[in-house]
Amino acid sequence: MKKRWICVFLLAALQGWGLDLTNPNATTAAQELYSYLQNLTGRDSLGILSGQESMIGEANDSGISTHDEYVISKNGGKIPALYASNFGDYYSLGNQEQIVKNIKNRWATSDSSVVVMLCWHAVQPDTVNTAGYTGMSQFSSTNPYPSANIDSILTPGTELNVEWIKRIDSIGVYLLELQDAGIPVIWRPFHENNGAFFWWGQQKRFPELWKQMYDYYTDTLGLDNLIWDYSVNYYSEGDTWLDTLYPGDSLVDVLSVDVYTNSGHEFGQWLHDDLRAKGGGKPIGISENGPMPNITELKATQPYWTFFCTWFNFEDSTYNSDELYDSVYSDVKVVTQDEINYNITADTRKLVSVTASGEGEVTKSPDSTRISAGSTMTLTAAAASGYEFTGWTAEDGTISTTNPITFTVNADTSIKAIFEPQTGTNVVQNSDFSTSIDNWKINYWDAGEGSLAVDDSMLKISVTSLSGDVYNPQVIQTDLLIDSGYTYSLSFDAKSSGVDTMDVAIGQGSGDYTKLLYTSVALSDSLQSYSFEIPDTLTSEISMRLEFEVGYQEGTIWLDNVVLKKASTSAVSVFSNT
């Protein structure tokens, strides 16, 4: 919703709006949002809006709720695109003011780039509002809300009608406040009406209930910022409630469904196809979910979903694992708040994957994993202490040393920043053993016994049983970052008691186990210094292993001051970015 206040007719011409909103007097903001939702649909669409239900006043000054904060902590810092809340439930009506305040704050701090969706757990007019969710959801197919009461609600001038109009008017005041602030709302009243648990559920005259509210809000209150969402509960394939309860295309802008796979539901193909067909191509969405869907699979076979929205308290790890957050929010089709852009058209967003080897950080401008094709991105590398930035590598093998680097994104792109230890920096962790044996371990394959300890600020290796194999036992440190094309030096101090020789090796920690160094050193009972020059000739290995093989004789070896450092530098070639 950036740079949004342009003549509505010009926007329509530029963006190629398809379907119109049912309200011919809809605000420019509502029309623009509706056009954007239509752009989100289809196999080559912009994607699917991420959403989180936030409920009442659980928000900071930016309108970010505690539920949002949890999602942000799990998805790499991205704010969901869709902010959802509920006018009603078991909360006092005074909280509606806080919801409106949260929405306004979110709108202001996001540069008007947030999609708002609201529902209303309305209590039936013959029951006090304070009955809340328990009062309005006490019904079933065998204990339905009396149809005579529905008749009375729909009859002008009756006690129930007057009370019901008063209640929908009280909520309309808050929707008008959002309209005055220029904020459009996806409005989903009477949701899950195909279930029997809410008082409006499975009522034969439900389409008239819908029309009554639609007409009052649109004609009487002049609410022109609403996009009317007909939101149903999950249903089994072949269910007919969608046909019997649907208010009609002239009163519905969006169709959506609530799907809780933790309750045995599935994101069934029929849900997608039925809603799309019933609405005649209107946008469709997943208005409530427990576990989030697998977006790659969903968009492959059900491309017309425009949003999903995790219900409050379902965002946690009980329903949505860290792995699911990673897969969902890293998917190129998932739109977050920072990526909302009403002026882009379908199939223009490209994925930019930035990784790093070594120790350092990369900042991106814009800070997004998905940007419009033809846009430029700037990457800035900052090496950690003891490391230096030596270049970027692209997936085609090209390299650049420019920092920062700016390039045009015309396709999905993968770039890696290379951070290498500075010359003279020891890549061995805990090399002087002053307090602990951290980062070191003793390895066995079958027989052989030994132990590690700190003794007089040295690593004490005790071999108490032999296996007949020099590798049993051996003392190692893994995950050493050694860069290809450089010469390294290894040095250490050692002495022994009862052990005459020790093998020393540096090489691959897996695969072919190729060694860059494999040599034997003679030990004595006095501390001696040893050093070696090691050229790294492996073209792709970065993580290596240092081994001290001590399985020759029973006895004790002491190690100290183990240093593995770069002894030379090498140049990096440059490529031109296009």
Side-chain angles (χ1 to χ4, degrees), residues 361-365 378-382 389 392 403-405 417 419:
E361 294 184 352
V362 177
T363 56
K364 298 182 293 184
S365 180
T378 298
L379 303 180
T380 303
F389 170 74
W392 309 96
N403 187 35
I405 187 173
F419 299 102

Side-chain angles (χ1 to χ4, degrees), residues 1 11 26 67 77 120 128 147 185 257 264 325 327 333 358 383 386 433 469 528:
M1 300 182 194
L11 278 174
H67 305 283
W120 180 23
V128 294
S147 59
V185 174
V257 63
Y325 272 109
S327 68
K333 291 293 187 181
F433 314 106
D469 188 338
Q528 298 185 52

Side-chain angles (χ1 to χ4, degrees), residues 277-426:
K278 174 56 66 176
K282 296 176 186 288
I284 63 173
I286 300 166
S287 40
E288 293 179 25
N289 60 264
M292 295 178 290
N294 180 307
I295 301 301
T296 299
E297 295 178 0
L298 193 75
K299 276 292 191 178
T301 58
Q302 302 176 31
Y304 289 100
W305 296 119
T306 60
F307 57 83
F308 69 86
C309 185
T310 305
W311 191 249
F312 82 111
N313 289 339
F314 280 83
E315 69 276 1
D316 68 15
S317 58
T318 303
Y319 306 99
N320 290 283
S321 65
D322 289 352
E323 292 76 16
L324 187 54
Y325 272 109
D326 288 341
S327 68
V328 168
Y329 279 90
S330 64
D331 194 289
V332 69
K333 291 293 187 181
V334 173
V335 180
T336 50
Q337 180 177 286
D338 61 300
E339 296 168 333
I340 293 175
N341 182 351
Y342 283 20
N343 297 319
I344 58 178
T345 56
D347 199 26
T348 63
R349 289 162 14 103
K350 303 301 178 183
L351 175 66
V352 180
S353 173
V354 180
T355 58
S357 67
E359 299 294 326
E361 294 184 352
V362 177
T363 56
K364 298 182 293 184
S365 180
D367 184 17
S368 178
T369 57
R370 297 171 290 274
I371 66 174
S372 299
S375 300
T376 60
M377 174 172 280
T378 298
L379 303 180
T380 303
S385 177
Y387 283 77
E388 58 185 347
F389 170 74
T390 59
W392 309 96
T393 63
E395 54 193 356
D396 61 2
T398 54
I399 300 173
S400 173
T401 55
T402 303
N403 187 35
I405 187 173
T406 299
F407 55 96
T408 300
V409 179
N410 289 314
D412 292 348
T413 305
S414 295
I415 294 180
K416 178 184 289 186
I418 307 299
F419 299 102
E420 299 174 346
Q422 294 175 335
T423 301
T425 299
N426 188 8

Side-chain angles (χ1 to χ4, degrees), residues 158-478:
T158 66
E159 182 178 352
L160 289 184
N161 171 264
V162 170
E163 176 62 23
W164 178 238
I165 295 300
K166 182 171 69 174
R167 292 191 183 187
I168 65 173
D169 187 81
S170 68
I171 294 300
V173 169
Y174 300 111
L175 295 172
L176 281 168
E177 188 175 344
L178 294 175
Q179 176 169 280
D180 291 342
I183 304 173
V185 174
I186 299 174
W187 176 239
R188 60 181 198 108
F190 302 118
H191 68 293
E192 299 184 354
N193 69 319
N194 54 323
F197 33 84
F198 295 146
W199 62 270
W200 59 77
Q202 298 185 2
Q203 294 288 342
K204 289 182 179 180
R205 299 188 71 183
F206 174 81
E208 296 172 74
L209 277 177
W210 181 280
K211 187 176 188 303
Q212 180 189 53
M213 179 185 285
Y214 183 98
D215 289 346
Y216 187 83
Y217 277 171
T218 303
D219 299 334
T220 303
L221 294 187
L223 274 166
D224 299 327
N225 64 327
L226 303 184
I227 296 173
W228 290 77
D229 178 6
Y230 178 72
S231 177
V232 301
N233 190 36
Y234 176 88
Y235 60 87
S236 299
E237 188 170 9
D239 188 283
T240 59
W241 282 114
L242 182 62
D243 295 321
T244 59
L245 299 176
Y246 186 59
D249 289 346
S250 64
L251 301 175
V252 172
D253 300 306
V254 174
L255 294 87
S256 64
V257 63
D258 299 347
V259 182
Y260 289 83
T261 57
N262 56 291
S263 299
H265 301 171
E266 58 178 307
F267 296 102
Q269 188 69 39
W270 68 90
L271 299 172
H272 171 272
D273 296 348
D274 287 356
L275 293 181
R276 181 72 176 166
K278 174 56 66 176
K282 296 176 186 288
I284 63 173
I286 300 166
S287 40
E288 293 179 25
N289 60 264
M292 295 178 290
N294 180 307
I295 301 301
T296 299
E297 295 178 0
L298 193 75
K299 276 292 191 178
T301 58
Q302 302 176 31
Y304 289 100
W305 296 119
T306 60
F307 57 83
F308 69 86
C309 185
T310 305
W311 191 249
F312 82 111
N313 289 339
F314 280 83
E315 69 276 1
D316 68 15
S317 58
T318 303
Y319 306 99
N320 290 283
S321 65
D322 289 352
E323 292 76 16
L324 187 54
Y325 272 109
D326 288 341
S327 68
V328 168
Y329 279 90
S330 64
D331 194 289
V332 69
K333 291 293 187 181
V334 173
V335 180
T336 50
Q337 180 177 286
D338 61 300
E339 296 168 333
I340 293 175
N341 182 351
Y342 283 20
N343 297 319
I344 58 178
T345 56
D347 199 26
T348 63
R349 289 162 14 103
K350 303 301 178 183
L351 175 66
V352 180
S353 173
V354 180
T355 58
S357 67
E359 299 294 326
E361 294 184 352
V362 177
T363 56
K364 298 182 293 184
S365 180
D367 184 17
S368 178
T369 57
R370 297 171 290 274
I371 66 174
S372 299
S375 300
T376 60
M377 174 172 280
T378 298
L379 303 180
T380 303
S385 177
Y387 283 77
E388 58 185 347
F389 170 74
T390 59
W392 309 96
T393 63
E395 54 193 356
D396 61 2
T398 54
I399 300 173
S400 173
T401 55
T402 303
N403 187 35
I405 187 173
T406 299
F407 55 96
T408 300
V409 179
N410 289 314
D412 292 348
T413 305
S414 295
I415 294 180
K416 178 184 289 186
I418 307 299
F419 299 102
E420 299 174 346
Q422 294 175 335
T423 301
T425 299
N426 188 8
V427 301
V428 175
Q429 303 296 310
N430 187 25
S431 62
D432 60 3
F433 314 106
S434 57
T435 60
S436 72
I437 62 171
D438 290 350
N439 303 104
W440 295 90
K441 67 178 181 178
I442 192 164
N443 255 5
Y444 313 96
W445 278 261
D446 41 37
E449 295 180 4
S451 63
L452 300 180
V454 174
D455 179 32
D456 195 21
S457 296
M458 291 186 287
L459 181 65
K460 180 181 179 183
I461 308 165
S462 300
V463 180
T464 56
S465 176
L466 300 179
S467 68
D469 188 338
V470 66
Y471 304 118
N472 267 335
Q474 68 176 200
V475 175
I476 64 170
Q477 182 169 139
T478 58

